[in-house]
Amino acid sequence: MSCKANGIGRLIHSDGDIYQGEWKDDKAHGKGVYRHLDGALYEGEWREDKQHGKGKETWPDAAMYEGDYDNGAKHGQGRFTWADNSSY
């Protein structure tokens, strides 16, 4: 019998990255936060270990994307803002 992560939890990867949030069948699924050791951060929705739904990604240089994700990729409506405050 195998036991899989379900519910709320935290995983610290061997490289120092951290995911904290909802799990389903050992995969990030639901709402969660992923912090990269380099300072990048994603807060939002997940499906089967991939960014999916609404989310916000920020980088150490203050650049930011907020919007839709589909199967791990930025897709649909969203706004990217660079560190100089210009945006697309």
Side-chain angles (χ1 to χ4, degrees):
M1 182 174 152
S2 79
C3 185
K4 294 188 177 187
N6 285 290
I8 304 292
R10 179 175 162 180
L11 173 67
I12 302 171
H13 294 267
S14 61
D15 64 4
D17 291 353
I18 299 170
Y19 171 77
Q20 185 163 340
E22 297 178 308
W23 295 87
K24 181 180 176 188
D25 295 330
D26 273 350
K27 295 182 179 177
H29 194 92
K31 294 190 184 221
V33 176
Y34 193 97
R35 297 177 191 278
H36 292 269
L37 189 59
D38 68 5
L41 175 76
Y42 171 79
E43 301 174 83
E45 298 172 341
W46 296 81
R47 185 177 75 187
E48 296 187 358
D49 268 350
K50 295 181 181 170
Q51 301 154 315
H52 190 84
K54 300 286 184 191
K56 180 178 178 182
E57 204 167 353
T58 55
W59 291 272
D61 68 355
M64 176 184 74
Y65 170 79
E66 187 166 11
D68 298 334
Y69 290 79
D70 184 24
N71 215 22
K74 295 168 187 70
H75 183 79
Q77 297 291 314
R79 180 183 185 101
F80 192 96
T81 306
W82 284 268
D84 67 2
N85 220 23
S86 60
S87 64
Y88 176 78

